[in-house]
């Protein structure tokens, strides 16, 4: 039986379309692990791990190597980064600053 919540029922690599708290589908290419040193300086000083998980362009959370399922970070609905992007996708927790841009390691528009 096909899961009615599955936006890609024929794609074997995806069992379910990931979504933000807002209900919007997760931006293509996200979440992904990036080096914290490549982030906006405000985030480098805030996130105290060598790597971070990019949840959306300009929104991050510290990466824990013991938690490799990146969907888990989305489910927590916490992310630090750009205020407008956090508001757009309705992140419930985290710090924000105006004008946080995506790191060079992320998908470019």
């Amino acid at each position: 039986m096909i899961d009615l919540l599955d936006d890609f029922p024929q794609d074997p690599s995806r069992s379910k379309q990931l979504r933000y708290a807002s209900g919007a589908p997760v931006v293509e290419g996200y979440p992904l692990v990036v080096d914290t040193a490549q982030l906006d300086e405000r985030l480098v000083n805030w996130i105290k791990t060598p790597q971070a998980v990019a949840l959306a362009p300009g929104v991050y959370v510290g990466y824990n190597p013991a938690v490799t399922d990146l969907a888990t970070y989305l489910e927590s609905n916490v992310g630090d980064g750009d205020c407008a992007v956090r508001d757009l996708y309705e992140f419930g927790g985290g710090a924000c600053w105006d004008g946080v841009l995506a790191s060079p390691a992320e998908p470019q528009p």
Side-chain angles (χ1 to χ4, degrees):
M1 178 169 186
I2 294 176
D3 181 351
L4 296 177
L5 298 176
D6 190 348
D7 293 341
F8 302 95
Q10 304 307 316
D11 184 347
S13 68
R14 296 181 78 149
S15 61
K16 191 191 311 189
Q17 170 68 49
L18 297 176
R19 296 195 178 274
Y20 295 112
S22 66
V26 170
V27 177
E28 187 174 340
Y30 291 86
L32 74 150
V33 177
V34 297
D35 289 329
T36 304
Q38 293 183 326
L39 303 181
D40 183 291
E41 182 178 309
R42 296 167 287 185
L43 285 158
V44 170
N45 292 325
W46 189 260
I47 296 174
K48 302 298 183 195
T49 58
Q51 293 181 303
V53 178
L55 303 172
V59 178
Y60 309 89
V61 66
Y63 177 66
N64 178 348
V67 182
T68 57
D69 180 0
L70 300 183
T72 302
Y73 297 91
L74 284 168
E75 292 166 4
S76 72
N77 198 35
V78 174
D80 304 312
D82 187 74
C83 295
V85 176
R86 287 185 72 255
D87 290 345
L88 176 67
Y89 296 121
E90 299 179 7
F91 283 93
C96 78
W97 301 269
D98 291 329
V100 175
L101 300 176
S103 78
E106 295 171 57
Q108 302 301 311

